Amino acid sequence: MSQSMQKALKTAYEAEKEGMRSYMKFAKDTSVISGKDMFIQLALDEIDHMEMIEKFMEKALAGEMFTPVNVPPARISKFMPKISDASRKKTEKSSVSDETALKIALAHEEKARNFYKDEAEKTNDAELKAFFMKLSDVEQKHHDIIQAELDFMAQDGFWFDAMEFSLEK
């Protein structure tokens, strides 16, 4: 594995660690129980990513053949409701700091997704490319969940890109 790919994996590991710390802080600071749960699940996903990156690096640095990577779907995606089953009930009121935390988390997920996509494009190693693309996909799911929470908080009539109500019908 090249020096640049080693550096990319180390950068990815540190970014996941920082994401985990941020999500735990947001979970501690947020006033909405569902928000706390979401941030805790995101932090647990970041820990999973750190472990996968660490294992990938260990095998690669030891010159061992790495078995295909199975990046599990994000734990939090289990909580993503199907549109037809989604409750439209209003939940606890969130504070401005909760919205700010979500916006910071959204930016973190965008940055992580783009980092993994860029690194996948840079490498010729098929296993490493697949690893980075799977991580990019998981970060996209995180992004979608956080965006849905922000949309719900805004009460703009859309939730998970579906219109909650129509004044036309």
Side-chain angles (χ1 to χ4, degrees), residues 102-124:
L102 285 167
K103 287 180 178 177
I104 292 168
L106 188 71
H108 170 77
E109 295 300 334
E110 282 180 27
K111 194 172 179 181
R113 178 197 61 215
N114 292 337
F115 172 80
Y116 289 129
K117 277 179 115 174
D118 291 346
E119 292 304 321
E121 290 173 11
K122 289 180 190 175
T123 185
N124 292 324

Side-chain angles (χ1 to χ4, degrees), residues 155-169:
Q155 306 234 334
D156 63 0
F158 286 88
W159 194 55
F160 288 103
D161 292 329
M163 189 180 300
E164 291 185 275
F165 59 87
S166 172
L167 299 175
E168 304 293 320
K169 294 180 184 180

Side-chain angles (χ1 to χ4, degrees), residues 4-17:
S4 63
M5 284 299 109
Q6 287 179 27
K7 183 178 176 185
L9 286 166
K10 287 179 183 178
T11 300
Y13 183 88
E14 290 302 317
E16 297 290 346
K17 185 165 55 172

